Amino acid sequence: MARWRLPEWHAVAPMLAWLAALALLPWWLGLPLLLALAAALLLQLHWPAEHARLLRQALRWGLPGVMVALQRALGGGAFGVGAALLGALAGYTLLAGMEAWLDRDLRRAPAGTTSDAEWPELARAPIGPPARIIELRPPEWHAASAELADPRGGRLQWREGSYLFADGMQVEAGEQCDFSPGGRWFAARPEHGRRLLLCDRDHHRCHRLRGWNLYGWDGEQPWLQRREGDMPVPLEHVAGSRGRR
């Protein structure tokens, strides 16, 4: 729930003194003072923001003082009180209209408008996510008949159509194979054909992909190509599209 805070005394005291001074002066002296303040605001002189705020407060607080002086001048009876109330109503209506006109640019400006001082910083700021150049290392296919060093230690052996790893893992795959640079991924394919096997050794999961070729390694991530000349894509893209079907 919103709470209204009363203005502090040191901010209200000058305005109360101003109201009392206009109430004690004759109304025909106080009213020209208020009109002069309003004219100064309407002329849109290059007032500092603090001075413009004080002028507006002087008009808001000074109007009741002039109305009290008018009520005294009219004898203080019912007629004087009514004339003062009507004058206050007309005066605050005009004051509200004048402030709305002065604040028209603030209401018309969009919420996301950027000041001129911020444009140099925005011009120098990078646009979008940071770029990264992807350099793919081409696969190095090895014949299954030869023993291949495992980047994670040990030797990869080929036995009766299966690959046998030093840790006991066994995979049935084609006659050509390769490892990712760090050994996380194992890739195999037949010598003739378009069937690709990719095994993630960290998560013990294999992908058998028909119609895809291994284009290269981006670190430990395989990138695939459908046919020669196509744009290579990461395995996540191919596995995601297969999972949505």
Side-chain angles (χ1 to χ4, degrees):
M1 179 182 296
R3 297 182 179 179
W4 292 95
R5 292 180 55 191
L6 293 175
E8 298 181 2
W9 174 251
H10 65 81
V12 175
M15 293 296 107
L16 289 176
W18 169 248
L19 188 155
L22 291 181
L24 295 176
L25 285 175
W27 69 269
W28 46 268
L29 286 180
L31 183 59
L33 285 177
L34 295 185
L35 293 177
L37 295 178
L41 281 174
L42 290 174
L43 290 176
Q44 295 188 347
L45 302 176
H46 295 291
W47 297 103
E50 182 64 20
H51 292 179
R53 184 184 65 82
L54 290 176
L55 287 177
R56 292 192 183 197
Q57 288 186 351
L59 286 172
R60 297 168 190 160
W61 287 81
L63 186 58
V66 173
M67 292 302 103
V68 170
L70 177 63
Q71 185 261 349
R72 285 193 301 105
L74 294 177
F79 176 75
V81 173
L85 291 177
L86 288 176
L89 178 62
Y92 277 114
T93 301
L94 293 174
L95 181 60
M98 182 190 71
E99 291 191 353
W101 184 79
L102 291 174
D103 295 336
R104 64 192 184 281
D105 292 335
L106 296 178
R107 294 196 311 273
R108 199 159 45 220
T113 300
T114 306
S115 64
D116 292 340
E118 296 176 354
W119 280 114
E121 287 76 10
L122 291 177
R124 291 192 295 266
I127 299 175
R132 183 176 75 91
I133 298 176
I134 297 176
E135 296 183 1
L136 299 179
R137 194 209 78 178
E140 300 176 0
W141 296 109
H142 301 273
S145 58
E147 287 191 2
L148 182 64
D150 188 337
R152 293 189 170 183
R155 308 290 296 181
L156 177 67
Q157 299 180 5
W158 169 261
R159 292 182 183 177
E160 300 178 357
S162 298
Y163 292 95
L164 181 60
F165 295 82
D167 59 3
M169 176 181 172
Q170 187 172 350
V171 177
E172 295 182 3
E175 299 85 7
Q176 294 182 336
C177 62
D178 187 27
F179 285 101
S180 63
R184 173 185 170 182
W185 287 90
F186 171 74
R189 70 176 186 180
E191 188 175 356
H192 303 288
R194 293 173 57 83
R195 294 190 306 274
L196 179 66
L197 172 73
L198 286 171
C199 290
D200 185 351
R201 301 170 67 189
D202 286 349
H203 298 90
H204 305 286
R205 179 170 48 193
C206 291
H207 304 270
R208 295 185 182 271
L209 306 170
R210 183 180 297 273
W212 289 91
N213 293 317
L214 177 61
Y215 186 82
W217 304 103
D218 175 29
E220 288 299 298
Q221 296 301 319
W223 281 61
L224 311 178
Q225 186 182 49
R226 172 70 78 175
R227 60 183 62 87
E228 187 175 355
D230 287 356
M231 178 73 69
V233 294
L235 174 63
E236 291 82 356
H237 175 81
V238 177
S241 63
R242 285 163 58 90
R244 290 191 295 269
R245 291 177 184 174

